[in-house]
Amino acid sequence: MNSKTNRANHIILRVEGLKKYFPVRRGFFQKIAAWNKAVDGVSFEIQQGKTLGLVGESGCGKTTVARLILKLLESDAGKIVFRGTDISKLAENDMKLYRKDMQIVFQDPYGSLNPRMTVGLSIEEGLRILGIKNAPKRKERLEKLLQMVGMSPESADRYPHEFSGGQRQRIGIARALSVEPLLIICDEPVSALDVSIQAQIINLLKDLQDRLGLSYLFISHDLNVVGYLCNTIAVMYKGCIMEFAPAEQLFENPRHPYTISLLAAIPDPEPGNTPDLHLPERDLPDSSIPIFGCSFQGRCTLEETRCREERTTLAQVGEEHFVRCWKAAQNKIPKVS
Amino acid sequence: MTNDTLLSVKDLKVYFPAGDGIARAVDGVSFEVRRDETVCLVGESGCGKTVSALSILRLNPVPPAEIAGGRIMFDGQSLLKLDEESMRRLRGKHIAMVFQEPLTSLNPVFTIGDQIGEAVSIHENIGTEALHRRCVQLLKSVGMPFPEQRLKDYPHQLSGGQRQRVMIAMALACAPRLIIADEPTTALDVTVQAQILQLFKSIQKKRSMSLLYITHDLGVVANIADRVYVMYAGAIVEQGNTVQIFRHACHPYTQGLLASLPSRLKRGKRLYSIPGVVPNPAFKPKGCPFHPRCPYAEPVCREEFPEMCDYGDGHLARCPVLFDKRDL
């Protein structure tokens, strides 16, 4: 029991049954024709100092989850418990208290920095919010932040366009760090970068985590990056978490048919290893068309009548390993080698 | 140049004006594509891979681009010497291209059928009925479900993967001998990417054509290529077959790229990262362009542009320093 309470204390963020439906409007009067279930009952928790990877294809709702947690979007239902407080219903003013503890690093380092502000001013903005009124102190802190992300103090007087993509991403990270957050949501932070730069930023994120004890929610479509960096991984498909497991578990013993085909599709930098396709030749179906039962139907090769008739639930199949598939829960998925 | 060679690019130089100076985007690139072969041109953004590919079809706007030297031979013809009319007859018919962004390269106001049909009718005299049948059959060959209905669709009605299939169908329209694909799967999800890669492979097997595939993704390269050219700062730094490149990389840049790939098997270990950034094509360092980032750099690297060193069996790398250190 003791260990359980201990564990609860270490959970920095818990999301429970998070939902966000967007209206799909059609016709001359723009009547609501359907609901796009962008996030449909997502639950997970992140432990302090750990990294949770949220993976899935484009349009599966992973960025919407990030925006809901940061309250850049209002959720329709569900709880967002950050450091023991449910922030999902908090008013904008009360939210300020928590905002500095949660930061985001965006995908596009070109679009997320103000082109008219010097790098120094961009980062200092956070320090002002933190309430550091003394200018020399701010400057000192600014230099320390730049150094932390591996940039020279002179960069502070330059403008974003003078920097490369990787450097801009470092600036974005320094900016997020300026308010001393506990949790950083990284929304595809390395997807726009070249391979040689990608490794630099991944190493930087890892170093900062070790040094500052940060927790990350790492959103990515790249399973190689997620597999390298994350402690636990949640696989999302059409607004639902299909599988949730510690990283090693997920790669060694994937249970959901979707996870299996996703892993099989990773191009392996080993000559001769052809990705093995378990997916029928179909694309992601339109998520505004309501379906009953499992949301993976139509693309699943192991589909049965029951999949179309029964609501799916997350079933536990191992220690901290959950899967949203009745067949996987009953061990009826054929093993792939 | 053997009889087997379909395309050979020799010492190609493409320069662009950049402020006061010139950007040597492609600076002495040589490569060849043999019949029925898949060749990958791999490198980071700005290394000149797309400019090299566009020059083959002469699609770089001149000016600002300037072909400062080199020769491109396709099936015995020198492409840089052809007049515009013959070039137009060649594009699409003998060499076709698939671009990265299928949404911007398809015309939004014409149906899929119109656009595939156009690709055929430009080069062939063909009746309406036959054209329709041909379009259906082309869409079928790229694995498009319900090809009859899809012909009436507009590009926005299709998903990213389907659009790329349409692009490939258009490229296949006149059964070209060479397809140049410039990052055709970069904008797609992994599962869709896997489908498109498989499509390329099966088409190539069936139709016996060559593929020049441009990408920055080493995973894709290992998957699809027969031979690989690694580019850095406007030059080829290493070439060889996939096994040579991936198992026995001989250039520090190739070695660094492979070592910096994240994977779950490297968990807990620090990722190798190549220090520094890709040089600006207008301000390339003197000597070997990679020397400021290279762990093996010696004084000579700062002075002399390195020669290609032959490791045998078609495996070449532009690094004399490592070549001298190889254990024989």
Side-chain angles (χ1 to χ4, degrees), chain B residues 220-243:
Chain B
V220 171
V221 175
N223 192 272
I224 196 167
D226 296 313
R227 287 191 309 118
V228 186
Y229 290 88
V230 183
M231 278 190 83
Y232 185 77
I236 305 278
V237 294
E238 185 161 0
Q239 66 189 70
N241 64 33
T242 28
V243 176

mmCIF file with all atom_site columns, all heavy atoms in Angstrom, chain B residues 220-243:
data_model
loop_
_atom_site.group_PDB
_atom_site.id
_atom_site.type_symbol
_atom_site.label_atom_id
_atom_site.label_alt_id
_atom_site.label_comp_id
_atom_site.label_asym_id
_atom_site.label_entity_id
_atom_site.label_seq_id
_atom_site.pdbx_PDB_ins_code
_atom_site.Cartn_x
_atom_site.Cartn_y
_atom_site.Cartn_z
_atom_site.occupancy
_atom_site.B_iso_or_equiv
_atom_site.pdbx_formal_charge
_atom_site.auth_seq_id
_atom_site.auth_comp_id
_atom_site.auth_asym_id
_atom_site.auth_atom_id
_atom_site.pdbx_PDB_model_num
ATOM 1   N N   . VAL B 1 220 ? 14.287 4.347  -45.553 1.00 0.00 ? 220 VAL B N   1
ATOM 2   C CA  . VAL B 1 220 ? 13.685 4.119  -46.865 1.00 0.00 ? 220 VAL B CA  1
ATOM 3   C C   . VAL B 1 220 ? 14.745 3.634  -47.847 1.00 0.00 ? 220 VAL B C   1
ATOM 4   O O   . VAL B 1 220 ? 14.515 2.710  -48.629 1.00 0.00 ? 220 VAL B O   1
ATOM 5   C CB  . VAL B 1 220 ? 13.024 5.424  -47.375 1.00 0.00 ? 220 VAL B CB  1
ATOM 6   C CG1 . VAL B 1 220 ? 12.599 5.279  -48.816 1.00 0.00 ? 220 VAL B CG1 1
ATOM 7   C CG2 . VAL B 1 220 ? 11.842 5.795  -46.503 1.00 0.00 ? 220 VAL B CG2 1
ATOM 8   N N   . VAL B 1 221 ? 15.921 4.233  -47.771 1.00 0.00 ? 221 VAL B N   1
ATOM 9   C CA  . VAL B 1 221 ? 17.004 3.866  -48.686 1.00 0.00 ? 221 VAL B CA  1
ATOM 10  C C   . VAL B 1 221 ? 17.321 2.385  -48.550 1.00 0.00 ? 221 VAL B C   1
ATOM 11  O O   . VAL B 1 221 ? 17.384 1.646  -49.543 1.00 0.00 ? 221 VAL B O   1
ATOM 12  C CB  . VAL B 1 221 ? 18.280 4.698  -48.386 1.00 0.00 ? 221 VAL B CB  1
ATOM 13  C CG1 . VAL B 1 221 ? 19.434 4.231  -49.249 1.00 0.00 ? 221 VAL B CG1 1
ATOM 14  C CG2 . VAL B 1 221 ? 18.012 6.170  -48.620 1.00 0.00 ? 221 VAL B CG2 1
ATOM 15  N N   . ALA B 1 222 ? 17.510 1.933  -47.310 1.00 0.00 ? 222 ALA B N   1
ATOM 16  C CA  . ALA B 1 222 ? 17.878 0.539  -47.069 1.00 0.00 ? 222 ALA B CA  1
ATOM 17  C C   . ALA B 1 222 ? 16.813 -0.387 -47.632 1.00 0.00 ? 222 ALA B C   1
ATOM 18  O O   . ALA B 1 222 ? 17.091 -1.492 -48.070 1.00 0.00 ? 222 ALA B O   1
ATOM 19  C CB  . ALA B 1 222 ? 18.040 0.296  -45.579 1.00 0.00 ? 222 ALA B CB  1
ATOM 20  N N   . ASN B 1 223 ? 15.610 0.122  -47.634 1.00 0.00 ? 223 ASN B N   1
ATOM 21  C CA  . ASN B 1 223 ? 14.485 -0.686 -48.043 1.00 0.00 ? 223 ASN B CA  1
ATOM 22  C C   . ASN B 1 223 ? 14.343 -0.842 -49.546 1.00 0.00 ? 223 ASN B C   1
ATOM 23  O O   . ASN B 1 223 ? 13.945 -1.873 -50.045 1.00 0.00 ? 223 ASN B O   1
ATOM 24  C CB  . ASN B 1 223 ? 13.247 0.009  -47.486 1.00 0.00 ? 223 ASN B CB  1
ATOM 25  C CG  . ASN B 1 223 ? 12.061 -0.837 -47.581 1.00 0.00 ? 223 ASN B CG  1
ATOM 26  O OD1 . ASN B 1 223 ? 11.374 -0.824 -48.581 1.00 0.00 ? 223 ASN B OD1 1
ATOM 27  N ND2 . ASN B 1 223 ? 11.854 -1.628 -46.560 1.00 0.00 ? 223 ASN B ND2 1
ATOM 28  N N   . ILE B 1 224 ? 14.677 0.221  -50.267 1.00 0.00 ? 224 ILE B N   1
ATOM 29  C CA  . ILE B 1 224 ? 14.288 0.236  -51.681 1.00 0.00 ? 224 ILE B CA  1
ATOM 30  C C   . ILE B 1 224 ? 15.476 0.190  -52.643 1.00 0.00 ? 224 ILE B C   1
ATOM 31  O O   . ILE B 1 224 ? 15.351 -0.268 -53.769 1.00 0.00 ? 224 ILE B O   1
ATOM 32  C CB  . ILE B 1 224 ? 13.393 1.481  -51.949 1.00 0.00 ? 224 ILE B CB  1
ATOM 33  C CG1 . ILE B 1 224 ? 12.661 1.333  -53.282 1.00 0.00 ? 224 ILE B CG1 1
ATOM 34  C CG2 . ILE B 1 224 ? 14.180 2.765  -51.890 1.00 0.00 ? 224 ILE B CG2 1
ATOM 35  C CD1 . ILE B 1 224 ? 11.555 2.328  -53.455 1.00 0.00 ? 224 ILE B CD1 1
ATOM 36  N N   . ALA B 1 225 ? 16.654 0.639  -52.195 1.00 0.00 ? 225 ALA B N   1
ATOM 37  C CA  . ALA B 1 225 ? 17.737 0.889  -53.150 1.00 0.00 ? 225 ALA B CA  1
ATOM 38  C C   . ALA B 1 225 ? 18.531 -0.353 -53.535 1.00 0.00 ? 225 ALA B C   1
ATOM 39  O O   . ALA B 1 225 ? 18.676 -1.283 -52.744 1.00 0.00 ? 225 ALA B O   1
ATOM 40  C CB  . ALA B 1 225 ? 18.692 1.920  -52.570 1.00 0.00 ? 225 ALA B CB  1
ATOM 41  N N   . ASP B 1 226 ? 19.049 -0.337 -54.776 1.00 0.00 ? 226 ASP B N   1
ATOM 42  C CA  . ASP B 1 226 ? 20.089 -1.277 -55.154 1.00 0.00 ? 226 ASP B CA  1
ATOM 43  C C   . ASP B 1 226 ? 21.439 -0.621 -54.885 1.00 0.00 ? 226 ASP B C   1
ATOM 44  O O   . ASP B 1 226 ? 22.321 -1.205 -54.310 1.00 0.00 ? 226 ASP B O   1
ATOM 45  C CB  . ASP B 1 226 ? 19.995 -1.633 -56.644 1.00 0.00 ? 226 ASP B CB  1
ATOM 46  C CG  . ASP B 1 226 ? 18.691 -2.353 -56.953 1.00 0.00 ? 226 ASP B CG  1
ATOM 47  O OD1 . ASP B 1 226 ? 18.360 -3.276 -56.201 1.00 0.00 ? 226 ASP B OD1 1
ATOM 48  O OD2 . ASP B 1 226 ? 18.013 -1.982 -57.921 1.00 0.00 ? 226 ASP B OD2 1
ATOM 49  N N   . ARG B 1 227 ? 21.548 0.633  -55.365 1.00 0.00 ? 227 ARG B N   1
ATOM 50  C CA  . ARG B 1 227 ? 22.772 1.378  -55.126 1.00 0.00 ? 227 ARG B CA  1
ATOM 51  C C   . ARG B 1 227 ? 22.441 2.738  -54.531 1.00 0.00 ? 227 ARG B C   1
ATOM 52  O O   . ARG B 1 227 ? 21.341 3.259  -54.715 1.00 0.00 ? 227 ARG B O   1
ATOM 53  C CB  . ARG B 1 227 ? 23.563 1.548  -56.421 1.00 0.00 ? 227 ARG B CB  1
ATOM 54  C CG  . ARG B 1 227 ? 24.217 0.221  -56.860 1.00 0.00 ? 227 ARG B CG  1
ATOM 55  C CD  . ARG B 1 227 ? 25.218 0.424  -57.972 1.00 0.00 ? 227 ARG B CD  1
ATOM 56  N NE  . ARG B 1 227 ? 24.656 1.197  -59.056 1.00 0.00 ? 227 ARG B NE  1
ATOM 57  C CZ  . ARG B 1 227 ? 25.120 2.385  -59.450 1.00 0.00 ? 227 ARG B CZ  1
ATOM 58  N NH1 . ARG B 1 227 ? 26.156 2.926  -58.835 1.00 0.00 ? 227 ARG B NH1 1
ATOM 59  N NH2 . ARG B 1 227 ? 24.547 3.026  -60.441 1.00 0.00 ? 227 ARG B NH2 1
ATOM 60  N N   . VAL B 1 228 ? 23.388 3.312  -53.818 1.00 0.00 ? 228 VAL B N   1
ATOM 61  C CA  . VAL B 1 228 ? 23.155 4.541  -53.072 1.00 0.00 ? 228 VAL B CA  1
ATOM 62  C C   . VAL B 1 228 ? 24.259 5.549  -53.363 1.00 0.00 ? 228 VAL B C   1
ATOM 63  O O   . VAL B 1 228 ? 25.438 5.189  -53.459 1.00 0.00 ? 228 VAL B O   1
ATOM 64  C CB  . VAL B 1 228 ? 23.169 4.255  -51.541 1.00 0.00 ? 228 VAL B CB  1
ATOM 65  C CG1 . VAL B 1 228 ? 22.775 5.501  -50.754 1.00 0.00 ? 228 VAL B CG1 1
ATOM 66  C CG2 . VAL B 1 228 ? 22.265 3.094  -51.190 1.00 0.00 ? 228 VAL B CG2 1
ATOM 67  N N   . TYR B 1 229 ? 23.859 6.811  -53.529 1.00 0.00 ? 229 TYR B N   1
ATOM 68  C CA  . TYR B 1 229 ? 24.825 7.904  -53.570 1.00 0.00 ? 229 TYR B CA  1
ATOM 69  C C   . TYR B 1 229 ? 24.523 8.817  -52.387 1.00 0.00 ? 229 TYR B C   1
ATOM 70  O O   . TYR B 1 229 ? 23.391 9.270  -52.237 1.00 0.00 ? 229 TYR B O   1
ATOM 71  C CB  . TYR B 1 229 ? 24.691 8.704  -54.863 1.00 0.00 ? 229 TYR B CB  1
ATOM 72  C CG  . TYR B 1 229 ? 25.154 7.962  -56.096 1.00 0.00 ? 229 TYR B CG  1
ATOM 73  C CD1 . TYR B 1 229 ? 24.280 7.138  -56.801 1.00 0.00 ? 229 TYR B CD1 1
ATOM 74  C CD2 . TYR B 1 229 ? 26.455 8.091  -56.553 1.00 0.00 ? 229 TYR B CD2 1
ATOM 75  C CE1 . TYR B 1 229 ? 24.689 6.458  -57.940 1.00 0.00 ? 229 TYR B CE1 1
ATOM 76  C CE2 . TYR B 1 229 ? 26.881 7.414  -57.690 1.00 0.00 ? 229 TYR B CE2 1
ATOM 77  C CZ  . TYR B 1 229 ? 25.989 6.596  -58.376 1.00 0.00 ? 229 TYR B CZ  1
ATOM 78  O OH  . TYR B 1 229 ? 26.413 5.926  -59.490 1.00 0.00 ? 229 TYR B OH  1
ATOM 79  N N   . VAL B 1 230 ? 25.517 9.080  -51.558 1.00 0.00 ? 230 VAL B N   1
ATOM 80  C CA  . VAL B 1 230 ? 25.317 9.973  -50.416 1.00 0.00 ? 230 VAL B CA  1
ATOM 81  C C   . VAL B 1 230 ? 25.855 11.342 -50.793 1.00 0.00 ? 230 VAL B C   1
ATOM 82  O O   . VAL B 1 230 ? 26.999 11.467 -51.240 1.00 0.00 ? 230 VAL B O   1
ATOM 83  C CB  . VAL B 1 230 ? 26.057 9.452  -49.161 1.00 0.00 ? 230 VAL B CB  1
ATOM 84  C CG1 . VAL B 1 230 ? 25.778 10.350 -47.967 1.00 0.00 ? 230 VAL B CG1 1
ATOM 85  C CG2 . VAL B 1 230 ? 25.652 8.018  -48.854 1.00 0.00 ? 230 VAL B CG2 1
ATOM 86  N N   . MET B 1 231 ? 25.023 12.359 -50.649 1.00 0.00 ? 231 MET B N   1
ATOM 87  C CA  . MET B 1 231 ? 25.444 13.717 -51.033 1.00 0.00 ? 231 MET B CA  1
ATOM 88  C C   . MET B 1 231 ? 25.660 14.580 -49.806 1.00 0.00 ? 231 MET B C   1
ATOM 89  O O   . MET B 1 231 ? 24.947 14.464 -48.809 1.00 0.00 ? 231 MET B O   1
ATOM 90  C CB  . MET B 1 231 ? 24.374 14.373 -51.903 1.00 0.00 ? 231 MET B CB  1
ATOM 91  C CG  . MET B 1 231 ? 24.447 13.969 -53.345 1.00 0.00 ? 231 MET B CG  1
ATOM 92  S SD  . MET B 1 231 ? 23.349 14.981 -54.359 1.00 0.00 ? 231 MET B SD  1
ATOM 93  C CE  . MET B 1 231 ? 24.357 16.425 -54.654 1.00 0.00 ? 231 MET B CE  1
ATOM 94  N N   . TYR B 1 232 ? 26.637 15.458 -49.909 1.00 0.00 ? 232 TYR B N   1
ATOM 95  C CA  . TYR B 1 232 ? 26.839 16.445 -48.854 1.00 0.00 ? 232 TYR B CA  1
ATOM 96  C C   . TYR B 1 232 ? 27.358 17.720 -49.493 1.00 0.00 ? 232 TYR B C   1
ATOM 97  O O   . TYR B 1 232 ? 28.340 17.680 -50.241 1.00 0.00 ? 232 TYR B O   1
ATOM 98  C CB  . TYR B 1 232 ? 27.835 15.936 -47.801 1.00 0.00 ? 232 TYR B CB  1
ATOM 99  C CG  . TYR B 1 232 ? 27.980 16.879 -46.626 1.00 0.00 ? 232 TYR B CG  1
ATOM 100 C CD1 . TYR B 1 232 ? 27.001 16.928 -45.642 1.00 0.00 ? 232 TYR B CD1 1
ATOM 101 C CD2 . TYR B 1 232 ? 29.064 17.740 -46.528 1.00 0.00 ? 232 TYR B CD2 1
ATOM 102 C CE1 . TYR B 1 232 ? 27.099 17.796 -44.583 1.00 0.00 ? 232 TYR B CE1 1
ATOM 103 C CE2 . TYR B 1 232 ? 29.172 18.620 -45.470 1.00 0.00 ? 232 TYR B CE2 1
ATOM 104 C CZ  . TYR B 1 232 ? 28.187 18.651 -44.490 1.00 0.00 ? 232 TYR B CZ  1
ATOM 105 O OH  . TYR B 1 232 ? 28.280 19.523 -43.446 1.00 0.00 ? 232 TYR B OH  1
ATOM 106 N N   . ALA B 1 233 ? 26.699 18.826 -49.213 1.00 0.00 ? 233 ALA B N   1
ATOM 107 C CA  . ALA B 1 233 ? 27.124 20.145 -49.687 1.00 0.00 ? 233 ALA B CA  1
ATOM 108 C C   . ALA B 1 233 ? 27.469 20.151 -51.173 1.00 0.00 ? 233 ALA B C   1
ATOM 109 O O   . ALA B 1 233 ? 28.535 20.597 -51.576 1.00 0.00 ? 233 ALA B O   1
ATOM 110 C CB  . ALA B 1 233 ? 28.310 20.642 -48.858 1.00 0.00 ? 233 ALA B CB  1
ATOM 111 N N   . GLY B 1 234 ? 26.565 19.618 -51.983 1.00 0.00 ? 234 GLY B N   1
ATOM 112 C CA  . GLY B 1 234 ? 26.727 19.723 -53.425 1.00 0.00 ? 234 GLY B CA  1
ATOM 113 C C   . GLY B 1 234 ? 27.639 18.707 -54.060 1.00 0.00 ? 234 GLY B C   1
ATOM 114 O O   . GLY B 1 234 ? 27.932 18.800 -55.253 1.00 0.00 ? 234 GLY B O   1
ATOM 115 N N   . ALA B 1 235 ? 28.121 17.744 -53.301 1.00 0.00 ? 235 ALA B N   1
ATOM 116 C CA  . ALA B 1 235 ? 29.018 16.739 -53.886 1.00 0.00 ? 235 ALA B CA  1
ATOM 117 C C   . ALA B 1 235 ? 28.616 15.351 -53.409 1.00 0.00 ? 235 ALA B C   1
ATOM 118 O O   . ALA B 1 235 ? 28.006 15.185 -52.357 1.00 0.00 ? 235 ALA B O   1
ATOM 119 C CB  . ALA B 1 235 ? 30.462 17.027 -53.470 1.00 0.00 ? 235 ALA B CB  1
ATOM 120 N N   . ILE B 1 236 ? 28.970 14.342 -54.226 1.00 0.00 ? 236 ILE B N   1
ATOM 121 C CA  . ILE B 1 236 ? 28.771 12.959 -53.795 1.00 0.00 ? 236 ILE B CA  1
ATOM 122 C C   . ILE B 1 236 ? 29.936 12.622 -52.863 1.00 0.00 ? 236 ILE B C   1
ATOM 123 O O   . ILE B 1 236 ? 31.096 12.796 -53.246 1.00 0.00 ? 236 ILE B O   1
ATOM 124 C CB  . ILE B 1 236 ? 28.804 11.998 -55.001 1.00 0.00 ? 236 ILE B CB  1
ATOM 125 C CG1 . ILE B 1 236 ? 27.798 12.395 -56.065 1.00 0.00 ? 236 ILE B CG1 1
ATOM 126 C CG2 . ILE B 1 236 ? 28.640 10.558 -54.544 1.00 0.00 ? 236 ILE B CG2 1
ATOM 127 C CD1 . ILE B 1 236 ? 26.405 11.951 -55.856 1.00 0.00 ? 236 ILE B CD1 1
ATOM 128 N N   . VAL B 1 237 ? 29.638 12.175 -51.654 1.00 0.00 ? 237 VAL B N   1
ATOM 129 C CA  . VAL B 1 237 ? 30.732 11.836 -50.744 1.00 0.00 ? 237 VAL B CA  1
ATOM 130 C C   . VAL B 1 237 ? 30.959 10.331 -50.655 1.00 0.00 ? 237 VAL B C   1
ATOM 131 O O   . VAL B 1 237 ? 32.046 9.888  -50.304 1.00 0.00 ? 237 VAL B O   1
ATOM 132 C CB  . VAL B 1 237 ? 30.544 12.427 -49.327 1.00 0.00 ? 237 VAL B CB  1
ATOM 133 C CG1 . VAL B 1 237 ? 30.607 13.937 -49.373 1.00 0.00 ? 237 VAL B CG1 1
ATOM 134 C CG2 . VAL B 1 237 ? 29.278 11.944 -48.683 1.00 0.00 ? 237 VAL B CG2 1
ATOM 135 N N   . GLU B 1 238 ? 29.917 9.555  -50.951 1.00 0.00 ? 238 GLU B N   1
ATOM 136 C CA  . GLU B 1 238 ? 30.116 8.107  -50.931 1.00 0.00 ? 238 GLU B CA  1
ATOM 137 C C   . GLU B 1 238 ? 29.117 7.441  -51.853 1.00 0.00 ? 238 GLU B C   1
ATOM 138 O O   . GLU B 1 238 ? 27.988 7.904  -51.991 1.00 0.00 ? 238 GLU B O   1
ATOM 139 C CB  . GLU B 1 238 ? 29.965 7.553  -49.498 1.00 0.00 ? 238 GLU B CB  1
ATOM 140 C CG  . GLU B 1 238 ? 30.286 6.079  -49.396 1.00 0.00 ? 238 GLU B CG  1
ATOM 141 C CD  . GLU B 1 238 ? 30.584 5.603  -47.975 1.00 0.00 ? 238 GLU B CD  1
ATOM 142 O OE1 . GLU B 1 238 ? 30.533 6.430  -47.045 1.00 0.00 ? 238 GLU B OE1 1
ATOM 143 O OE2 . GLU B 1 238 ? 30.879 4.410  -47.812 1.00 0.00 ? 238 GLU B OE2 1
ATOM 144 N N   . GLN B 1 239 ? 29.546 6.373  -52.493 1.00 0.00 ? 239 GLN B N   1
ATOM 145 C CA  . GLN B 1 239 ? 28.622 5.612  -53.317 1.00 0.00 ? 239 GLN B CA  1
ATOM 146 C C   . GLN B 1 239 ? 28.928 4.133  -53.185 1.00 0.00 ? 239 GLN B C   1
ATOM 147 O O   . GLN B 1 239 ? 30.071 3.741  -52.924 1.00 0.00 ? 239 GLN B O   1
ATOM 148 C CB  . GLN B 1 239 ? 28.713 6.047  -54.778 1.00 0.00 ? 239 GLN B CB  1
ATOM 149 C CG  . GLN B 1 239 ? 30.033 5.737  -55.445 1.00 0.00 ? 239 GLN B CG  1
ATOM 150 C CD  . GLN B 1 239 ? 30.127 6.397  -56.805 1.00 0.00 ? 239 GLN B CD  1
ATOM 151 O OE1 . GLN B 1 239 ? 30.235 7.616  -56.903 1.00 0.00 ? 239 GLN B OE1 1
ATOM 152 N NE2 . GLN B 1 239 ? 30.066 5.598  -57.842 1.00 0.00 ? 239 GLN B NE2 1
ATOM 153 N N   . GLY B 1 240 ? 27.884 3.332  -53.350 1.00 0.00 ? 240 GLY B N   1
ATOM 154 C CA  . GLY B 1 240 ? 28.067 1.887  -53.248 1.00 0.00 ? 240 GLY B CA  1
ATOM 155 C C   . GLY B 1 240 ? 26.718 1.205  -53.220 1.00 0.00 ? 240 GLY B C   1
ATOM 156 O O   . GLY B 1 240 ? 25.692 1.873  -53.327 1.00 0.00 ? 240 GLY B O   1
ATOM 157 N N   . ASN B 1 241 ? 26.724 -0.126 -53.100 1.00 0.00 ? 241 ASN B N   1
ATOM 158 C CA  . ASN B 1 241 ? 25.431 -0.791 -52.974 1.00 0.00 ? 241 ASN B CA  1
ATOM 159 C C   . ASN B 1 241 ? 24.966 -0.688 -51.524 1.00 0.00 ? 241 ASN B C   1
ATOM 160 O O   . ASN B 1 241 ? 25.708 -0.237 -50.659 1.00 0.00 ? 241 ASN B O   1
ATOM 161 C CB  . ASN B 1 241 ? 25.500 -2.236 -53.487 1.00 0.00 ? 241 ASN B CB  1
ATOM 162 C CG  . ASN B 1 241 ? 26.447 -3.096 -52.667 1.00 0.00 ? 241 ASN B CG  1
ATOM 163 O OD1 . ASN B 1 241 ? 26.589 -2.904 -51.461 1.00 0.00 ? 241 ASN B OD1 1
ATOM 164 N ND2 . ASN B 1 241 ? 27.099 -4.036 -53.321 1.00 0.00 ? 241 ASN B ND2 1
ATOM 165 N N   . THR B 1 242 ? 23.732 -1.100 -51.259 1.00 0.00 ? 242 THR B N   1
ATOM 166 C CA  . THR B 1 242 ? 23.168 -0.865 -49.926 1.00 0.00 ? 242 THR B CA  1
ATOM 167 C C   . THR B 1 242 ? 23.987 -1.521 -48.827 1.00 0.00 ? 242 THR B C   1
ATOM 168 O O   . THR B 1 242 ? 24.187 -0.944 -47.774 1.00 0.00 ? 242 THR B O   1
ATOM 169 C CB  . THR B 1 242 ? 21.707 -1.367 -49.817 1.00 0.00 ? 242 THR B CB  1
ATOM 170 O OG1 . THR B 1 242 ? 21.537 -2.428 -50.721 1.00 0.00 ? 242 THR B OG1 1
ATOM 171 C CG2 . THR B 1 242 ? 20.734 -0.285 -50.123 1.00 0.00 ? 242 THR B CG2 1
ATOM 172 N N   . VAL B 1 243 ? 24.471 -2.736 -49.085 1.00 0.00 ? 243 VAL B N   1
ATOM 173 C CA  . VAL B 1 243 ? 25.233 -3.423 -48.040 1.00 0.00 ? 243 VAL B CA  1
ATOM 174 C C   . VAL B 1 243 ? 26.527 -2.661 -47.750 1.00 0.00 ? 243 VAL B C   1
ATOM 175 O O   . VAL B 1 243 ? 26.899 -2.458 -46.595 1.00 0.00 ? 243 VAL B O   1
ATOM 176 C CB  . VAL B 1 243 ? 25.515 -4.883 -48.452 1.00 0.00 ? 243 VAL B CB  1
ATOM 177 C CG1 . VAL B 1 243 ? 26.391 -5.569 -47.411 1.00 0.00 ? 243 VAL B CG1 1
ATOM 178 C CG2 . VAL B 1 243 ? 24.205 -5.642 -48.606 1.00 0.00 ? 243 VAL B CG2 1
#
